[in-house]
Amino acid sequence: MQSLNFPTPIYNNNITMPQKANHFLFRNRRDQTPRFPTLVLAAEHDLTLEDEENKGGAVVPLPEGLRREVMPRHVAVIMDGNARWARKRGFSAASAGHEAGVRSLRELLKSCCEWGIRVLTVFAFSYDNWTRPKVEVVFLMSLFERMLKSEVDNFMRKGIRVSTIGDSSRLPESLKKLISDVEEKTRDNCRLHLIVAVSYSGKYDVTQACKSIAHKVKNGIVQLEDIDESLLEQELETNCAQYPCPDLLIRTSGELRISNFLLWQLAYTELFFAEALWPDFGKAEFIEALTSYQQRQRRYGGRHS
């Protein structure tokens, strides 16, 4: 693990707790312009956990040392190291590593559900990955399809909503239809929102947001003086989530870069780089990342007195 030790965070306890409200207050956030203070969101997060318990989805006790009041609401993961994992074990193809990586994802989903994390975004396939050998790309598309088919019933039992982000134009037609069906079937689930980035590019995400705003200006829907950060954020693909910007980014395999992933959304995200290859990333490694996150002081450019 490569990380920095930060002083214990200071939190403002003198905030007004919001009244209980429906989950996903802004289901279509593209039509909204809210900008919530971080601490108010955290308070709402605690209330939604209470709602889940009242609906029978009890949240299990946290591992020793973790605190629920400073649990990240949105965790993003760059799942790196599958091919290296396969080579280290003598497999001739990367497919064995990708298969093993699915098991790690299942374990991560389980932990997120149990510990009250609201959004999990995983970088499954970069737009730049289309340059990989065709046999590997075909396998990855097939693996994603098989995973969705095998897990959809589990998503419904666990209350997991599934969304995908990225340029879907190059995906196989069967996969595009399956994604649409799974998104529709799980759209009202609210225990955990799983966002799968497939054929995704952070640069493209910002570019398409700018194009969308430009079209609205051209058509008189938006005025030039209305353009600000909030408006652009509404056009980003992660705006399908209640908490669009990750609190914590985890990258496995010891690599120290973000690889064109969520470039705008990671502006104030805490970063954690794990040495473990993705198939070896389990509960213990996740606890280590969360513990590091909870020891940090998030200032958002300011300074605590």
Side-chain angles (χ1 to χ4, degrees), residues 207-273:
T207 301
Q208 65 82 26
C210 293
K211 286 183 176 180
S212 177
I213 293 173
H215 281 298
K216 291 179 179 180
V217 172
K218 181 180 179 181
N219 295 329
I221 300 172
V222 171
Q223 300 301 311
L224 187 62
E225 55 270 20
D226 295 330
I227 300 175
D228 58 12
E229 291 180 15
S230 178
L231 185 63
L232 195 144
E233 286 172 357
Q234 292 173 51
E235 299 295 337
L236 296 174
E237 294 192 273
T238 47
N239 231 26
C240 61
Q242 185 180 16
Y243 305 105
C245 296
D247 299 298
L248 172 65
L249 169 72
I250 300 170
R251 180 170 187 146
T252 59
S253 84
E255 300 292 348
L256 307 178
R257 55 181 179 270
I258 57 176
S259 297
N260 198 14
F261 184 46
L262 302 178
L263 297 181
W264 177 285
Q265 296 90 332
L266 294 178
Y268 283 103
T269 299
E270 297 294 326
L271 309 180
F272 184 91
F273 300 99

Side-chain angles (χ1 to χ4, degrees), residues 181-231:
D181 291 344
V182 172
E183 287 182 335
E184 177 61 27
K185 186 171 184 178
T186 64
R187 66 188 301 269
D188 292 324
N189 293 344
C190 55
R191 185 171 180 77
L192 172 69
H193 192 173
L194 171 63
I195 301 176
V196 185
V198 182
S199 189
Y200 177 84
S201 159
K203 291 181 179 180
Y204 174 79
D205 196 1
V206 175
T207 301
Q208 65 82 26
C210 293
K211 286 183 176 180
S212 177
I213 293 173
H215 281 298
K216 291 179 179 180
V217 172
K218 181 180 179 181
N219 295 329
I221 300 172
V222 171
Q223 300 301 311
L224 187 62
E225 55 270 20
D226 295 330
I227 300 175
D228 58 12
E229 291 180 15
S230 178
L231 185 63

